[in-house]
């Protein structure tokens, strides 16, 4: 991967498996967008509901020459989503 990737976990423990999943998803951006200046992904525990489980938010800030793509994707409120599913939906939205 040529682009610099910055990964931040907020209010949840660092996960090597999730970090590797994000790296693989971010690598695909290079094929879609070409030259990427920066990529910052923030994975955040947005809250917990005792009936519905944990809620996550994944933000992607992708720096491209001349402009920027910003995706801020929360968990689906109607369905329980894993942090991996929320991450995948954020990356799908960005692409």
């Amino acid at each position: 991967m040529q682009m610099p990737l910055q990964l931040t976990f907020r209010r949840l423990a660092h996960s090597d498996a999730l970090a590797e999943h994000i790296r693989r998803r971010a690598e695909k951006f290079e094929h879609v967008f070409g030259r990427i200046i920066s990529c910052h992904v923030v994975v955040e525990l947005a809250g917990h509901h005792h009936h519905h489980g944990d809620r996550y938010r994944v933000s992607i800030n992708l720096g491209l020459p001349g402009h920027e793509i910003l995706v801020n994707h929360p968990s689906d409120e109607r369905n329980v989503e894993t942090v991996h599913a929320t991450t995948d939906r954020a990356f799908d939205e960005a692409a």
Side-chain angles (χ1 to χ4, degrees):
M1 177 167 53
Q2 299 296 320
M3 80 174 119
L5 175 63
Q6 182 180 0
L7 179 56
T8 303
F9 289 89
R10 290 189 184 143
R11 293 190 281 279
L12 74 155
H14 176 88
S15 163
D16 289 338
L18 182 57
E20 182 58 32
H21 181 72
I22 290 169
R23 281 186 192 89
R24 283 194 308 269
R25 291 297 309 253
E27 283 177 356
K28 294 179 182 180
F29 281 154
E30 292 177 320
H31 300 290
V32 174
F33 296 110
R35 188 166 159 249
I36 298 172
I37 298 168
S38 64
C39 182
H40 184 200
V41 179
V42 178
V43 181
E44 178 178 10
L45 178 62
H48 176 80
H49 190 278
H50 68 277
H51 289 292
H52 302 290
D54 291 334
R55 299 288 185 212
Y56 302 97
R57 182 177 301 115
V58 177
S59 301
I60 303 170
N61 187 335
L62 197 59
L64 304 170
H67 65 284
E68 182 174 56
I69 295 174
L70 179 61
V71 172
N72 187 12
H73 191 81
S75 293
D76 186 345
E77 290 295 323
R78 295 172 307 276
N79 301 307
V80 175
E81 266 188 343
T82 66
V83 67
H84 281 79
T86 304
T87 299
D88 285 340
R89 287 171 27 103
F91 273 89
D92 291 346
E93 188 176 321

